[in-house]
Amino acid sequence: MTEIRWHSRAGQGAVSGAKGLGDVVATTGKEVQAFALYGSAKRGAALRAYNRIDDEQIFNHAKFMNPDYVLVIDPALAYTDNIVENEADHTKYIVTTHLTKEELIEGIPSLKGKEDRVFVVDCVQISLDTIGRSVPNAPMLGAFVKVSGMFELDYFLENMKRVLAKFPQKIIDGNMAAITKAYNDVK
């Protein structure tokens, strides 16, 4: 089973990102869960969203997991949340930041020794450049696709177009550009 934990603030799209990822995973015939746990439901409040992906039916509905991937959408949460909580020895971290990987790890001692499992990408800036506002979930999905190797980029983009079909073409195009740019920029 693959488990993913998202660290975000309400309004940054982590819940939509987890659900969008779940929709794409479902096209592959795998079983998937996408859910979130909110503290306060106010915009800007910290929240966590989750995905589970497996070939078999998923009976585990607990929020506790040993994530294979930790996706940190809000840069400040990398410092204030315990992003390494319940980590496995193979957990990979994708963190939104304008810092280099070395600068990020220097500021977060719990990531030291995990350099080969830490990836950085500036999802906030990418979303501003491609979508026109700070909605960093789409770029995070692009970074996840690259780091996980779970999908070919073209397959993911085609299926995300279907997920986003209810939005105007300008929004769809912005999201496709954001996903692609983050896929190419993640380090």
Side-chain angles (χ1 to χ4, degrees), residues 167-184:
F167 293 104
Q169 191 62 45
K170 179 180 177 181
I171 303 269
I172 296 170
D173 293 344
N175 277 272
M176 296 304 105
I179 291 167
T180 303
K181 181 149 181 52
Y183 179 92
N184 291 324

Side-chain angles (χ1 to χ4, degrees), residues 128-150:
L128 289 170
D129 293 344
T130 57
I131 301 169
R133 61 190 193 110
S134 180
V135 187
N137 62 342
M140 182 55 76
L141 286 169
F144 172 75
V145 168
K146 176 72 171 268
V147 171
S148 71
M150 192 175 287

Side-chain angles (χ1 to χ4, degrees), residues 1-6 21 31-33 35 49-54 58-71 85-88 90-93 144 148 150:
M1 180 180 312
T2 300
E3 296 181 311
I4 304 161
R5 185 175 66 221
W6 300 66
L21 177 61
E31 295 292 319
V32 64
Q33 288 180 348
F35 60 99
Y50 304 85
N51 289 102
R52 284 194 179 94
I53 302 166
D54 203 355
I58 301 170
F59 294 104
N60 181 354
H61 296 282
K63 71 176 183 176
F64 302 103
M65 61 172 53
N66 300 103
D68 299 287
Y69 299 92
V70 173
L71 312 180
E85 179 181 23
N86 299 322
E87 72 176 344
H90 62 273
T91 301
K92 293 183 180 177
Y93 300 88
F144 172 75
S148 71
M150 192 175 287

Side-chain angles (χ1 to χ4, degrees), residues 16-173:
S16 297
K19 289 180 180 178
L21 177 61
D23 283 350
V24 174
V25 169
T27 67
T28 67
K30 292 185 179 284
E31 295 292 319
V32 64
Q33 288 180 348
F35 60 99
L37 296 172
Y38 301 86
S40 168
K42 295 180 180 178
R43 179 176 282 280
L47 69 85
R48 291 184 182 185
Y50 304 85
N51 289 102
R52 284 194 179 94
I53 302 166
D54 203 355
D55 293 325
E56 306 293 327
Q57 186 173 357
I58 301 170
F59 294 104
N60 181 354
H61 296 282
K63 71 176 183 176
F64 302 103
M65 61 172 53
N66 300 103
D68 299 287
Y69 299 92
V70 173
L71 312 180
V72 184
I73 290 184
D74 187 279
L77 292 177
Y79 297 92
T80 61
D81 260 12
N82 182 7
I83 64 171
V84 299
E85 179 181 23
N86 299 322
E87 72 176 344
D89 60 0
H90 62 273
T91 301
K92 293 183 180 177
Y93 300 88
I94 307 173
V95 180
T96 298
T97 183
H98 66 280
L99 302 173
T100 66
K101 182 192 318 192
E102 293 75 24
E103 291 169 330
L104 177 77
I105 292 171
E106 185 63 33
I108 305 173
S110 60
L111 292 178
K112 289 186 179 171
K114 301 173 177 73
E115 290 80 4
D116 61 328
R117 298 186 284 130
V118 175
F119 301 87
V120 297
V121 62
D122 195 345
C123 294
V124 172
Q125 189 60 53
I126 290 172
S127 68
L128 289 170
D129 293 344
T130 57
I131 301 169
R133 61 190 193 110
S134 180
V135 187
N137 62 342
M140 182 55 76
L141 286 169
F144 172 75
V145 168
K146 176 72 171 268
V147 171
S148 71
M150 192 175 287
F151 303 100
E152 292 294 327
L153 179 61
D154 291 339
Y155 179 86
F156 189 81
L157 290 171
E158 284 306 310
N159 281 282
M160 279 306 293
K161 285 179 188 174
R162 179 187 48 77
V163 170
L164 298 171
K166 65 183 177 187
F167 293 104
Q169 191 62 45
K170 179 180 177 181
I171 303 269
I172 296 170
D173 293 344

